[in-house]
Amino acid sequence: MKIQIEPLQRKQLLGTAGTHRVVLDQPAERGGDDGGFRPTELWLIGLSGCAAGTLKGLAREKGFALDRVSIEAVEETNGEGTIFRVTFHTTLEGALTDEERDELLREVKGRCKVVKTVHPSIHVEFLDARKSSVLAGVGGDSEQQEPPEACSAESGACCI
């Protein structure tokens, strides 16, 4: 895969992968024009997209009736702006049993290429949005995690 990044105006960048293009920018309060995605947003979209595609593929392999996957990804950062945890609030729609839902959410962490790439540097967990409980964690729940601290653009603690 070849990715190209070129400057546009002010803080905007043009990212190209093959024939696809995307504009990256900063919000106005960080000196940008808010004319595109922040890099962290694109990263979370990629991570979420890989997880959703993996869930759909797993369901197909197992013969589970998964019709639709919806994911809301939330990152947590420390005082330096480093992401240390990503939580996926996952909605699985279809004629699935609770056991099938749990099985899919447990297995996705070991099958999704992008999730496996960020582990163990970043703790990843999948929540069933219907249950609001942790079903699977990459790295194990017993690991010591840095507590989230306040994030503000003024202190430079937020990721771009």
Side-chain angles (χ1 to χ4, degrees):
M1 176 183 323
K2 180 180 175 184
I3 303 294
Q4 287 184 276
I5 301 293
E6 301 173 36
L8 289 176
Q9 59 189 22
R10 294 176 40 130
K11 290 195 172 190
Q12 288 185 359
L13 301 168
L14 178 66
T16 304
T19 59
H20 304 287
R21 295 177 174 202
V22 65
V23 174
L24 295 95
D25 199 1
Q26 291 293 308
E29 63 269 12
R30 294 191 48 115
D33 295 317
D34 201 20
F37 291 102
R38 293 181 5 219
T40 303
E41 291 170 331
L42 283 177
W43 179 76
L44 284 169
I45 288 170
L47 193 60
S48 301
C50 186
T54 301
L55 284 163
K56 289 172 72 174
L58 279 168
R60 243 185 336 271
E61 283 177 22
K62 295 175 177 292
F64 295 171
L66 176 61
D67 298 328
R68 186 172 187 267
V69 177
S70 177
I71 294 177
E72 177 185 341
V74 179
E75 97 273 8
E76 294 178 56
T77 59
N78 64 15
E80 288 81 44
T82 302
I83 298 171
F84 69 91
R85 180 189 309 267
V86 177
T87 303
F88 295 101
H89 301 274
T90 309
T91 302
L92 304 174
E93 296 178 18
L96 298 165
T97 66
D98 286 343
E99 291 79 19
E100 290 170 339
R101 290 173 194 282
D102 292 350
E103 184 176 336
L104 290 172
L105 292 175
R106 269 193 310 274
E107 289 188 27
V108 67
K109 66 181 180 180
R111 297 280 296 274
C112 177
K113 176 177 156 182
V114 182
V115 169
K116 290 190 316 183
T117 300
V118 301
H119 167 68
S121 300
I122 298 173
H123 182 82
V124 177
E125 59 191 4
F126 288 86
L127 304 178
D128 183 337
R130 298 174 324 132
K131 296 180 182 180
S132 298
S133 63
V134 176
L135 293 177
V138 173
D141 293 331
S142 62
E143 285 187 13
Q144 295 294 320
Q145 300 294 327
E146 296 181 65
E149 297 180 23
C151 182
S152 70
E154 294 77 28
S155 70
C158 288
C159 296
I160 59 172

